Amino acid sequence: MAIDERMKKMITMDDIVREGDPILRQRAKAVDLPPTEEEISILNKMHEFLINSQDEEIAEKYNLRAGVGLAAPQIGISKRMIAVHFTDASDKEYSYKLFNPKIVSHAMDYTYLPNGEGCLSVDREVPGIVPRYTKITVKATTTEGEELRLRLKGYAAIVFQHEIDHLNGIMFYDHINKDNPLEVPEHYKTLDDL
């Protein structure tokens, strides 16, 4: 099915590429700016999927798994585009549709999600500590053509690192210590410390 045909309908779990598909291991291509109408439409649909997936009624009706972030390779499009939609522990909302997001700086210390990370492209539990920078600065362009610099920490930084990894062909479990997956290094900070 052509990309433009697929984007006329809402994204469902049927559109999500699962682990093992080679596209998830490719380095996605940068989006030429300004983006095309089709690219903007795709990013809007990705964002809409996240909102729908967090709405219990819609999620149940369409059998959607709840997600907080989605990268274009996860719907079979090897372009540097991500959408995020979530609220952190302090009730701050992060809702973005971004082209060419790039981590331009990061802290030297690490944090992790105590229960590990999950992924819409991974249908199994993968237990393990995924090290992530405690703070990052991301530069990206919005669907309106605005250049953003986002300073993120804690959970927000983790979500963005997970999605940007997808653009580089990296899965979250690539970061897990294979010999001792559940060991938390002493110097790692908990999210409560941030």
Side-chain angles (χ1 to χ4, degrees), residues 13 16-19 65 118-126 171-173:
M13 291 307 294
I16 305 289
V17 172
R18 301 309 205 278
E19 65 178 323
R65 260 177 67 197
C119 179
L120 292 167
S121 293
V122 179
D123 291 328
R124 60 194 173 98
E125 290 258 333
V126 185
M171 300 295 282
F172 74 91
Y173 48 71

Side-chain angles (χ1 to χ4, degrees), residues 14-34:
D14 291 341
D15 300 302
I16 305 289
V17 172
R18 301 309 205 278
E19 65 178 323
D21 190 302
I23 200 164
L24 293 174
R25 290 303 188 176
Q26 291 171 13
R27 185 171 170 80
K29 294 175 196 68
V31 175
D32 291 330
L33 300 176

Side-chain angles (χ1 to χ4, degrees), residues 164-181:
I164 292 170
D165 268 357
H166 275 304
L167 305 181
N168 297 319
I170 297 166
M171 300 295 282
F172 74 91
Y173 48 71
D174 296 342
H175 297 289
I176 296 172
N177 178 335
K178 304 292 177 263
D179 298 327
N180 202 341

Side-chain angles (χ1 to χ4, degrees), residues 108-112 131-132 134 183-190 193-194:
M108 295 310 292
D109 44 9
Y110 293 91
T111 189
Y112 60 95
R132 298 290 187 187
T134 55
E183 180 185 34
V184 180
E186 264 178 44
H187 62 282
Y188 279 28
K189 295 183 173 178
T190 66
D193 294 337
L194 302 177

Side-chain angles (χ1 to χ4, degrees), residues 50-103:
L50 296 174
I51 294 168
N52 288 342
S53 78
Q54 293 172 36
D55 180 308
E56 280 183 38
E57 218 172 280
I58 296 173
E60 191 174 329
K61 182 177 178 182
Y62 294 100
N63 197 23
L64 306 178
R65 260 177 67 197
V68 293
L70 188 64
Q74 292 181 274
I75 56 166
I77 298 168
S78 192
K79 291 190 177 182
R80 300 186 82 79
M81 299 163 32
I82 67 168
V84 299
H85 182 76
F86 62 92
T87 304
D88 70 9
S90 67
D91 276 344
K92 180 172 179 189
E93 185 179 78
Y94 295 82
S95 198
Y96 293 99
K97 300 172 275 189
L98 302 173
F99 292 109
N100 302 328
K102 183 180 181 181
I103 296 171

